Amino acid sequence: AIEAGARAVMMGHVEYPQAAPEAAGYSRFWIRDVLRRGLGFRGVVVSDDIGMTAGAHIGAVLERLARHAQAGCDLVLA
């Protein structure tokens, strides 16, 4: 999709604990290291919905917003 010119990528709440401890949308590893540096993606990175119960363990909505931004999301889906 990146090679075909995708302008945006939506991160999910999926977890791959052997690679990174947090879900992909909250992970600097997946967003900055893999997606941006490794795959060369330069488009918009969108979080998964912060209202989903899958992210509830992160904290309240403001904490989720901050964590997505720190990980490298450009837009947060609510």
Side-chain angles (χ1 to χ4, degrees):
I2 293 169
E3 290 179 10
R7 294 184 186 177
V9 169
M10 180 181 185
M11 303 304 291
H13 288 307
V14 296
E15 296 179 5
Y16 302 98
Q18 292 180 334
E22 62 280 317
Y26 296 104
S27 175
R28 291 175 65 98
F29 170 76
W30 288 112
I31 296 173
R32 295 185 180 182
D33 296 345
V34 175
L35 186 60
R36 297 266 190 219
R37 289 188 193 118
L39 298 174
F41 182 68
R42 299 290 175 248
V44 176
V45 176
V46 182
S47 76
D48 205 341
D49 184 0
I50 60 170
M52 292 176 60
T53 57
H57 69 283
I58 299 295
V61 172
L62 288 177
E63 178 64 21
R64 295 178 205 185
L65 288 168
R67 295 277 301 276
H68 279 304
Q70 291 166 358
C73 286
D74 300 304
L75 296 173
V76 177
L77 181 64

